[in-house]
Amino acid sequence: MEGLIIRERILGTDNTELRFPIRYRGAVFADSGNFDLCIGLWGHAMEIGQHCNQPITDDLKIFADFFCHMVQRNCLPKQKYIEEVFERAICEYERLTEKVQCKKLKGEHEAKLLREELENVVYRALYLLTIFAKVQDSRKKENSHVFDLIERFLRLNPRTLEGNTMLHLAVWSKTPTEEHYVRDVCKFPCVQTMKLIINAGGYVNAVNNKGNTPLHLAVTFKPNTGGLQVLRDVLETLLDGGVHEDLVNSEGKTAMDIAETDEARRILSVKSRLELKCIAARAVRKFGLSYFGVVPKTVERFISLH
């Protein structure tokens, strides 16, 4: 530790050569079970990277994997640690977004690489939220800070290359998880993660590149016998959150049309509550009435989704 401090004094706090030895020493502490020092050192290395405008996707990956490892060992990471890393993920997404929007990019290839980096940050943020959902203490008042962070992140409209939002990913059984620690802890669909996103203002009727809403993805879940309750909770959370079950995707299919199980169809039938505006929108589409340029843009969008 003294060697790291001396090296930092000599090289300066904005030297990226510091990152590897700091991360290495953090890994040594992790192996010996000193998790607090490990997390502190890794966080410092990530801070140096961001200060020097270097990508921190690898750092976010390491943290997500490590937190999942801690959960598996029943040594739950402190909420503040997860919040701090999540805030770093938000800053990274903001930085990359500004870079994508910059007109000084050298070409389409560079823009594609940056969009892929953005997608990676979205997945890391999702894993961090899922871990937080498993360790949070709902009685603590400081939970309000993480909701502020989620709201801040959602305002950036984070999406994958396929156009999936955080809520799409939280409800989808096919959401990718790479490392085995993450796979074992971050299992999707995850109702707790869904509620965090919805309560922070996540839009339940958002559509991806194929026109699918979170409900469209949720009804493709084919659970085993023990997972039926998860399916019920997922669908009821979406429906109670105000999702329009009659919205159609790019193929003109509703969630009911593509539901994979009888249980999903039953829940949609029981909880169905078609609103008058939805009936009107479907009538406009059915009878081929002209509405583009006639009604406000928001209404045009609403009609086109039916």
Side-chain angles (χ1 to χ4, degrees):
M1 291 294 288
E2 288 180 358
L4 289 177
I5 293 171
I6 293 170
R7 185 179 301 199
E8 187 164 327
R9 284 176 179 170
I10 294 172
L11 297 178
T13 55
D14 59 348
N15 194 307
T16 57
E17 294 295 324
L18 295 166
R19 296 188 73 199
F20 176 77
I22 292 174
R23 284 162 67 171
Y24 176 79
R25 185 53 50 186
V28 172
F29 281 124
D31 290 339
S32 62
N34 197 331
F35 296 148
D36 287 340
L37 271 176
C38 166
I39 292 170
L41 285 171
W42 283 353
H44 185 49
M46 183 165 56
E47 183 182 6
I48 292 172
Q50 280 198 311
H51 183 68
C52 297
N53 204 31
Q54 281 200 333
I56 62 163
T57 312
D58 288 343
D59 301 79
L60 296 175
K61 180 179 181 296
I62 290 170
F63 267 114
D65 190 31
F66 185 59
F67 287 151
C68 288
H69 177 57
M70 291 179 68
V71 171
Q72 280 191 320
R73 291 183 57 175
N74 202 27
C75 181
L76 302 182
K78 296 176 183 177
Q79 291 185 190
K80 68 172 185 177
Y81 291 152
I82 303 174
E83 290 176 15
E84 288 168 0
V85 178
F86 184 66
E87 187 166 11
R88 291 287 178 189
I90 297 172
C91 293
E92 182 69 358
Y93 194 89
E94 290 172 337
R95 184 185 73 85
L96 289 172
T97 301
E98 289 178 3
K99 208 167 180 181
V100 168
Q101 294 171 347
C102 179
K103 295 181 180 179
K104 296 180 180 179
L105 292 176
K106 295 180 180 178
E108 182 58 32
H109 178 67
E110 184 180 354
K112 181 182 177 183
L113 291 177
L114 284 173
R115 287 193 291 269
E116 290 174 352
E117 280 291 306
L118 280 169
E119 181 178 68
N120 287 332
V121 175
V122 172
Y123 281 119
R124 306 305 164 201
L126 175 72
Y127 303 152
L128 291 169
L129 275 189
T130 306
I131 298 165
F132 180 86
K134 294 183 182 299
V135 306
Q136 71 170 326
D137 186 346
S138 58
R139 296 168 296 179
K140 290 187 176 181
K141 293 181 180 179
E142 56 263 32
N143 284 346
S144 60
H145 178 59
V146 80
F147 283 107
D148 292 339
L149 290 176
I150 300 172
E151 287 177 352
R152 174 182 162 190
F153 190 46
L154 294 178
R155 282 196 293 270
L156 299 172
N157 192 27
R159 291 177 180 261
T160 66
L161 294 175
E162 295 179 345
N164 289 321
T165 65
M166 293 282 282
L167 189 56
H168 279 93
L169 298 174
V171 307
W172 197 24
S173 59
K174 296 180 181 179
T175 294
T177 49
E178 300 162 1
E179 300 297 328
H180 67 278
Y181 289 130
V182 176
R183 249 193 326 267
D184 292 340
V185 175
C186 299
K187 296 179 179 178
F188 301 104
C190 179
V191 179
Q192 295 94 334
T193 308
M194 287 174 57
K195 289 180 178 179
L196 279 177
I197 296 170
I198 292 173
N199 291 338
Y203 186 41
V204 293
N205 291 308
V207 296
N208 62 16
N209 296 347
K210 294 182 179 179
N212 289 318
T213 66
L215 186 62
H216 281 91
L217 300 187
V219 297
T220 62
F221 178 39
K222 294 190 286 188
N224 52 31
T225 304
L228 282 175
Q229 188 58 50
V230 175
L231 175 63
R232 296 188 192 106
D233 291 342
V234 167
L235 296 183
E236 289 176 2
T237 299
L238 286 173
L239 292 166
D240 292 341
V243 72
H244 285 274
E245 63 268 26
D246 63 326
L247 296 185
V248 297
N249 59 19
S250 301
E251 297 177 353
K253 294 182 179 180
T254 64
M256 180 70 84
D257 296 330
I258 64 173
E260 294 280 358
T261 61
D262 292 335
E263 180 66 12
R265 284 186 282 271
R266 185 192 68 79
I267 294 171
L268 291 176
S269 297
V270 171
K271 301 280 285 188
S272 179
R273 50 182 189 282
L274 201 58
E275 298 181 14
L276 180 59
K277 60 182 180 181
C278 296
I279 298 173
R282 294 174 77 171
V284 170
R285 294 291 299 276
K286 179 180 178 180
F287 294 105
L289 302 179
S290 176
Y291 61 92
F292 280 104
V294 178
V295 298
K297 293 292 183 183
T298 53
V299 180
E300 285 182 6
R301 176 65 175 164
F302 185 79
I303 295 174
S304 64
L305 290 173
H306 289 74

